[in-house]
Amino acid sequence: MLPLRPALLAAALVAANLVHADVPASAPFTAAQQHVIQQLSASEVRAAVPKIASEAASSVAKTIEGEKQAIEVAKDTLEVGRKSVDWWLTALGLLMAVAGIGLPIWLSRKHDQVEIKLKEADTAKQKAEIALRHAEQLVESFSKQTSLIPSADDITGKLSTEVLEKLHKVKPPQVVTLIEQAWDAHRRKDWKTAKPLWELLSLIEGHDHNVWFNLGLTLVHTNQDWETAASYFQRSYLLEPTAKALHNWGKALSDLASSFSDEKKDLYFVQAFEKFAEADRLRPDHALTYNNWGAALAKYAETLSGSAKREYLVKACDKFTKAIKCEPESATAYKWKAFVLEALAKFLEGAELEDKLNEAAELRLKAEEMESQTS
């Protein structure tokens, strides 16, 4: 059974329908509802209508009020949402405006900075190219100059009148005097006097390759500071690439190597061999190069053992053979080859041993004969 208030409301609505329309009372209700309605008398319906109507109006009013409140809440929510959307749109607009203004400015500044760096790099490149051209011109000018100071390894006497006249034309008298004094001391093998004179000239005539070469020779003859001697021959070679500078450079390096017993020994010997090979390329078939080269190989062999020692002794023997071929009257090459053959004989036995020793003895005898003829 339906609750009372809904039932009464239903009865009122039915009564109203019965009065104003011909619609059957049972049309909008279920069978159970129809049964309840039928039990109500007409007088009860009429008596309940005002009360029912009042209650219905109050219920409707409350429903409407609730719906109004819900609509207000929804409106407030929508307003808050709209304001939030407006805020974000405003913020996004401002951000885009800032980006639209700031990004081009930032890009413009970066572009300017890159342009400045490129200009600086281009300026530095131009300066470097100018310096390089200047250096090349200096090297070319020096390479075209013929040294007026003779090489000390060619000394046979005093400076000729012709050389002195050329020197006086292009150099101050004091410099010419220093050259004469250094040359004379070198000729007399007065190394203590020659060395400081060549050192002084290296400060004045540092562009002359023979000054450095002559200074290096004074150290070689006094067996002093092989490393410094090597650096002097290196400077001479850089100013004027000559075979004599290279093979003397190699000799100084091999003598320097002999003063070490660690890995530096191998390093300097290898560098010496390279210098001799380059000297041979610049001036093939030069007896002095082969003698110095062979001596360095023999010295290095003495620091080795076994097959490695034998290998370098064979190489040294080959260099002395070439030296004898280039200069058959060189007693030095004969003596060095005899020494190497005697060292190689230790690896032989029987007839081969005897043959090597006999060959070495013949070479020594020939060297002694040559030295006796020149003494």
Side-chain angles (χ1 to χ4, degrees), residues 54-72:
S54 175
E55 290 180 354
S58 176
S59 177
V60 169
K62 289 180 180 179
T63 301
I64 293 172
E65 182 66 23
E67 290 178 351
K68 285 182 178 180
Q69 290 177 358
I71 291 171
E72 289 297 326

Side-chain angles (χ1 to χ4, degrees), residues 152 186 195 198-199 209-226 228-234 236 248 252:
H186 209 113
K195 181 174 177 291
W198 288 123
E199 286 176 338
H209 66 95
N210 274 338
V211 169
W212 293 106
F213 180 80
N214 296 342
L215 180 55
L217 284 182
T218 62
L219 294 180
V220 169
H221 287 298
T222 54
N223 299 323
Q224 293 180 4
D225 197 353
W226 297 112
T228 302
S231 70
Y232 290 160
F233 291 125
Q234 179 184 17
S236 176
N248 277 283

Side-chain angles (χ1 to χ4, degrees), residues 11 14 25-26 31-42 44-45:
V14 169
S26 61
Q33 291 172 336
Q34 292 175 18
H35 178 73
V36 173
I37 293 172
Q38 290 173 1
Q39 289 180 352
L40 297 173
S41 62
E44 290 176 336
V45 169

Side-chain angles (χ1 to χ4, degrees), residues 253-254 256-273 299-304:
L253 287 171
S254 67
L256 176 63
S258 298
S259 65
F260 291 97
S261 58
D262 53 11
E263 64 276 2
K264 289 185 178 181
K265 172 199 67 180
D266 297 330
L267 174 65
Y268 288 128
F269 268 123
V270 170
Q271 290 179 358
F273 302 151
K299 289 178 182 178
Y300 186 52
E302 289 299 310
T303 67
L304 305 173

Side-chain angles (χ1 to χ4, degrees), residues 210-350:
N210 274 338
V211 169
W212 293 106
F213 180 80
N214 296 342
L215 180 55
L217 284 182
T218 62
L219 294 180
V220 169
H221 287 298
T222 54
N223 299 323
Q224 293 180 4
D225 197 353
W226 297 112
E227 188 171 8
T228 302
S231 70
Y232 290 160
F233 291 125
Q234 179 184 17
R235 293 186 186 187
S236 176
Y237 172 76
L238 292 175
L239 289 169
E240 181 67 28
T242 62
K244 67 180 181 181
L246 275 170
H247 74 70
N248 277 283
W249 185 4
K251 184 179 184 305
L253 287 171
S254 67
D255 289 330
L256 176 63
S258 298
S259 65
F260 291 97
S261 58
D262 53 11
E263 64 276 2
K264 289 185 178 181
K265 172 199 67 180
D266 297 330
L267 174 65
Y268 288 128
F269 268 123
V270 170
Q271 290 179 358
F273 302 151
E274 292 173 352
K275 301 302 176 288
F276 292 130
E278 181 63 14
D280 185 41
R281 187 188 68 80
L282 290 179
R283 185 180 177 182
D285 303 326
H286 187 216
L288 189 56
T289 297
Y290 290 135
N291 275 330
N292 289 333
W293 196 352
L297 289 166
K299 289 178 182 178
Y300 186 52
E302 289 299 310
T303 67
L304 305 173
S305 60
S307 60
K309 180 176 183 177
R310 182 177 183 177
E311 176 187 354
Y312 277 91
L313 285 173
V314 171
K315 290 180 179 180
C317 188
D318 176 66
K319 297 300 180 287
F320 292 126
T321 300
K322 289 182 178 180
I324 292 172
K325 183 178 179 180
C326 295
E327 194 174 327
E329 303 304 319
S330 173
T332 301
Y334 285 102
K335 288 192 293 185
W336 267 108
K337 185 174 181 180
F339 168 79
V340 172
L341 289 175
E342 290 169 350
L344 282 171
K346 295 178 182 179
F347 293 92
L348 304 174
E349 296 179 353

